[in-house]
Amino acid sequence: MRCYLHTFLLCMIFVFFSFLYVFNQLASTLEDRDGWRVKEHGIPGRKSHDTGHLLRKRPGLEGLRDREEGLDSERSNSAVKAESRDESSHLAVVACGPRLEETVTMLKSAVLFSKKPLHFYIFAEDELHKSFRNTLESWPLRVRARFNSSIYPITFPKENAREWKKLFKPCASQRLFLPLILKEVDSLLYVDTDIIFLQPVEDMWALLSQFNSRQLAAMAPEHEEPRIGWYNRFARHPYYGKTGINSGVMLMNMTRLREKFFKNDMTTVTLKWEEMLMPLLQKYKLNITWGDQDLLNIIFHHNPESLYMFPCQWNYRPDHCIYGSNCQQAEQEGVFILHGNRGVYHDDKQPAFRAVYEAIRKYQFGDNLETSLLRPLETSLQTTTHTYCGRASHLLTKRLKQSIMSVQQDATQRRR
C-alpha cells in the first residue's frame, strides 16, 4: 500500500511539473509571435538608446527627428522642413575603373544647382581616393563650403567578395551593401556615375516625404513603352511591375530597409536584407543580365508594397527618346535628372546627351551660368536634330533654364 502511495505522489509531482512546463512554453510562444508581429508590421518595439521612447522610422530628415524626439507616426506627409537640424541631402556614388571624370562631373552638377547642403559618400577603388580628394579640394572655397564628402573603399562580404565585385560591371553591386556599411545614415540617394542633375538635389530628396509607412525605396520604371521593354520581353527571372525598374537613381530610407523582413521565393520565412542577398545571387546568377539591378527587380517583385515609383523625368535615359519621345512627364515639365547609360556621354550615338555632359564638364565655377553653360549648350544641341533625342533636346534644357535662373536670383539677392 505504501508503495502505491509513493507512486501516486510521484505521478502527481510529474503532472504538476508537466503543466508548469507547458504553461511556460505557451507564454514563450505568445511572446515570440508578438515579436514577429512587431517586425513584420512595423509596430514600435525598440527603444532609443538616447531617449528611451518607442520609435517608428519615417523617411529622410523626418526619420532623423523621430529618433531625436521619440515621435510615433504611421505616415510622413509633410515636406522636409527648413528648420530641421540636418538639412543636407545625402548622395552616394560608386566609382571603379576609368570613372573619375564622369563621377566628378556628376558631383559638379549636384553642387551647381542645389541650394541646401550636400553630403557626398564616394565609394571608390583605393587608387582613385587621392584623385577624388585633390579634385574636390581644388574647387573654390565658396563651393566647398556647400558640401561635405566622405570617401570609402570598395567593400564586399569577405567570403564572396570576388563574386560580388565581378557582377555586371566592376563594383556596381556595391550599392546593395550601402545600408549595411552606412549604418548611421538614415536615408540616402544613390546614383550611377553617369548621372547629371538638371535641378536641385533637394527636390529629389523631398520625395522621401511622399513615402507611406511601408515604402522604403524609390526608383523609376525601366521602360515607359512595353513594346520596347527589356524585362517584359527577355527577362528569365521575376521583375517589378509591367516593365521592371531602373536602379541608376535609387532613393532609400535605409533605416526601414535594415529593419524589414522581406518576402522571397527561396524560403517561406521572411529574411532580413543581409540574409537575402547571397542566396538570391546563388539562385539567379545564371539567369540575370543586368547584375544588381536584376536582383533589386526580384526583391521588389515579391515586395511591391515597399517601393515608391517616381516618374521618368527623374531618371531620363536614351530609351525615352531614341525611338521618339515616350516620357510624358518630361514633355510636360522637362528632364530633372539625365542618365547617360550605355556610355552615351563618350561616343556619338546620342550627341544630345553628350552635349549636356560636356557643357557641365567644361563649365568653370564662378563663370556666368547663362553665358558659359546654357548658351553654348543650346548651340551644341542645334547640331543634334538628326537624332530623335536631339529633336527632343528642348526637354533637356527646360528645367535647366529654371535651375540657372533660380541660382542667379539667389546670387543677386545675396549681393544686395
Side-chain angles (χ1 to χ4, degrees):
M1 185 67 183
R2 184 176 297 176
C3 181
Y4 287 119
L5 183 60
H6 281 300
T7 303
F8 176 76
L9 289 175
L10 287 174
C11 288
M12 292 298 293
I13 292 172
F14 176 77
V15 169
F16 172 77
F17 280 107
S18 296
F19 273 115
L20 195 62
Y21 174 78
V22 170
F23 178 78
N24 183 64
Q25 290 296 105
L26 179 60
S28 176
T29 301
L30 290 174
E31 288 179 1
D32 290 343
R33 188 180 65 184
D34 289 342
W36 279 103
R37 186 167 57 87
V38 166
K39 294 172 182 176
E40 291 178 350
H41 299 290
I43 299 172
R46 183 168 66 86
K47 292 189 176 182
S48 164
H49 296 293
D50 299 321
T51 65
H53 295 296
L54 292 175
L55 303 183
R56 182 186 302 280
K57 297 300 178 186
R58 298 163 67 195
L61 304 182
E62 296 290 336
L64 293 175
R65 285 207 301 275
D66 284 357
R67 289 205 304 273
E68 294 166 356
E69 301 172 9
L71 299 178
D72 182 17
S73 173
E74 282 293 334
R75 184 181 178 98
S76 174
N77 290 319
S78 58
V80 178
K81 297 181 179 179
E83 66 268 23
S84 172
R85 295 181 184 178
D86 182 8
E87 293 185 345
S88 299
S89 300
H90 297 260
L91 178 65
V93 64
V94 178
C96 285
R99 297 284 183 168
L100 174 66
E101 185 176 64
E102 190 174 85
T103 306
V104 169
T105 303
M106 180 276 292
L107 297 175
K108 181 194 285 188
S109 72
V111 172
L112 277 176
F113 308 119
S114 296
K115 299 178 182 179
K116 292 187 177 181
L118 296 165
H119 192 131
F120 298 144
Y121 301 83
I122 303 169
F123 288 79
E125 292 173 311
D126 293 345
E127 55 268 30
L128 296 178
H129 287 199
K130 184 177 179 180
S131 297
F132 271 115
R133 289 193 184 95
N134 290 343
T135 301
L136 296 180
E137 289 173 2
S138 71
W139 290 357
L141 182 61
R142 66 181 182 281
V143 175
R144 301 203 308 270
R146 291 156 55 189
F147 68 89
N148 292 314
S149 63
S150 305
I151 300 177
Y152 299 84
I154 299 298
T155 306
F156 293 110
K158 292 181 180 179
E159 60 272 18
N160 309 110
R162 182 176 298 180
E163 191 165 6
W164 282 114
K165 189 168 184 177
K166 69 180 183 181
L167 183 64
F168 186 44
K169 294 180 180 179
C171 307
S173 60
Q174 178 73 87
R175 84 184 87 181
L176 296 176
F177 299 94
L178 297 182
L180 309 178
I181 298 171
L182 302 175
K183 294 181 180 179
E184 300 304 314
V185 178
D186 180 74
S187 295
L188 190 72
L189 173 60
Y190 166 85
V191 297
D192 287 346
T193 60
D194 51 9
I195 290 295
I196 295 292
F197 290 94
L198 300 179
Q199 73 171 41
V201 176
E202 59 263 25
D203 292 346
M204 163 61 81
W205 191 254
L207 293 182
L208 285 164
S209 65
Q210 302 299 316
F211 284 19
N212 65 31
S213 60
R214 296 192 295 174
Q215 290 165 336
L216 50 80
M219 284 176 271
E222 172 68 14
H223 286 281
E224 299 298 310
E225 175 52 68
R227 288 176 295 179
I228 61 173
W230 193 91
Y231 283 107
N232 55 297
R233 293 189 296 160
F234 306 116
R236 296 179 293 159
H237 57 79
Y239 56 89
Y240 179 89
K242 295 181 179 180
T243 59
I245 47 178
N246 183 281
S247 59
V249 180
M250 183 177 178
L251 186 63
M252 294 177 280
N253 182 318
M254 298 202 299
T255 298
R256 290 183 177 181
L257 192 148
R258 286 185 287 260
E259 292 178 348
K260 181 177 173 60
F261 284 78
F262 291 85
K263 300 185 292 292
N264 60 87
D265 59 1
M266 299 171 291
T267 174
T268 57
V269 178
T270 55
L271 299 174
K272 297 292 284 291
W273 186 261
E274 63 271 22
E275 299 170 335
M276 177 175 52
L277 294 178
M278 195 60 206
L280 199 64
L281 177 61
Q282 293 299 334
K283 179 174 181 177
Y284 286 105
K285 63 182 178 181
L286 299 180
N287 295 331
I288 59 178
T289 302
W290 309 113
D292 55 313
Q293 177 173 292
D294 290 347
L295 296 182
L296 289 168
N297 266 280
I298 296 168
I299 291 171
F300 288 105
H301 169 84
H302 296 292
N303 300 270
E305 74 285 351
S306 298
L307 187 66
Y308 176 92
M309 294 291 288
F310 51 70
C312 48
Q313 78 262 45
W314 292 103
N315 186 351
Y316 189 88
R317 286 159 281 123
D319 294 318
H320 294 119
C321 55
I322 192 171
Y323 301 116
S325 180
N326 60 55
C327 178
Q328 294 183 0
Q329 292 87 348
E331 292 178 6
Q332 297 168 1
E333 303 176 285
V335 175
F336 296 172
I337 294 177
L338 193 70
H339 185 179
N341 61 340
R342 301 179 189 146
V344 296
Y345 294 153
H346 312 293
D347 59 31
D348 296 322
K349 293 179 181 179
Q350 295 299 332
F353 279 71
R354 183 172 184 173
V356 177
Y357 172 80
E358 288 295 324
I360 299 291
R361 186 183 68 83
K362 293 177 181 178
Y363 173 79
Q364 298 293 316
F365 286 113
D367 290 350
N368 184 281
L369 282 167
E370 185 173 356
T371 58
S372 299
L373 194 160
L374 181 60
R375 290 180 186 172
L377 172 58
E378 290 177 327
T379 300
S380 295
L381 289 174
Q382 290 175 3
T383 67
T384 69
T385 54
H386 60 285
T387 66
Y388 280 113
C389 290
R391 293 169 195 167
S393 63
H394 60 285
L395 304 181
L396 307 182
T397 57
K398 184 174 184 178
R399 183 60 58 157
L400 177 62
K401 290 178 182 178
Q402 296 177 17
S403 297
I404 290 175
M405 184 180 301
S406 179
V407 169
Q408 291 178 333
Q409 289 174 347
D410 282 359
T412 301
Q413 290 176 357
R414 284 196 299 271
R415 285 195 294 268
R416 290 176 182 174

